[in-house]
């Protein structure tokens, strides 16, 4: 290696440029992965909060005195879609495939796909798409 670095034929600058390019590429890849993870984590927080809020807001309180929990499923489905639409930033694209919420158990499961731009989208790279599944359950009788 010492001989290569002291070479007068010009191979040391080529080696230096190659190593610099590899190190720069690795740094940009790590930045891209970190940015993508942060955006995905933020989106999952918004989706989970929307699901929790929809379940909490649509429990039918008339039966709580009898220790029975019922869920208004129609309004819960509408509310979760509204909460997601209002709280998710415009750069995110959410497509919900299924919303499952039984009447007798105050719970909801939302499945779908979420897409968002990456850090390099401004240079022609596409969006990243992930599948998601969020679930909320509320057994609070008090």
């Amino acid at each position: 290696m010492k001989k290569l670095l002291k070479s007068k034929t010009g191979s040391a600058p080529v080696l230096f440029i190659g190593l610099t390019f590899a190190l720069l590429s690795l740094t940009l890849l790590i930045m891209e992965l970190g940015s993508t993870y942060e955006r995905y984590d933020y989106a999952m927080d918004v989706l989970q909060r929307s699901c929790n809020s929809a379940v909490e807001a649509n429990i039918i309180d008339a039966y709580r005195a009898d220790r029975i929990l019922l869920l208004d499923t129609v309004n819960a489905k509408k509310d979760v879609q509204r909460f997601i639409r209002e709280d998710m930033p415009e750069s995110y694209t959410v497509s919900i495939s299924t919303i499952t919420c039984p009447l007798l158990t105050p719970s909801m499961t939302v499945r779908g796909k979420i897409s968002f731009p990456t850090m390099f989208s401004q240079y022609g790279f596409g969006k990243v798409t992930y599948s998601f599944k969020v679930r909320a359950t509320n057994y609070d009788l008090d």
Side-chain angles (χ1 to χ4, degrees), residues 5-109:
L5 291 174
K6 289 184 177 185
S7 172
K8 304 285 186 196
T9 61
S11 58
V14 173
L15 178 67
F16 178 72
I17 291 171
L19 288 175
T20 303
F21 179 74
L23 185 61
L24 184 63
S25 297
L26 182 65
T27 303
L28 291 175
L29 178 64
I30 290 171
M31 287 173 50
E32 176 68 15
L33 289 173
S35 170
T36 301
Y37 176 75
E38 284 294 320
R39 289 175 184 245
Y40 174 76
D41 190 47
Y42 175 76
M44 290 304 293
D45 289 344
V46 170
L47 291 167
Q48 186 65 53
R49 191 171 48 245
S50 299
C51 193
N52 291 344
S53 298
V55 170
E56 180 66 30
N58 290 290
I59 291 178
I60 302 171
D61 289 328
Y63 296 98
R64 276 196 190 192
D66 297 329
R67 312 226 16 110
I68 298 171
L69 293 175
L70 297 177
L71 182 67
D72 182 1
T73 59
V74 174
N75 284 333
K77 289 178 182 181
K78 289 178 186 176
D79 281 351
V80 75
Q81 291 174 342
R82 181 174 55 89
F83 291 150
I84 291 171
R85 191 174 47 252
E86 290 175 359
D87 294 342
M88 195 66 71
E90 291 181 15
S91 62
Y92 290 75
T93 305
V94 179
S95 74
I96 297 172
S97 58
T98 60
I99 300 175
T100 308
C101 49
L103 173 70
L104 297 176
T105 309
S107 65
M108 176 183 289
T109 303

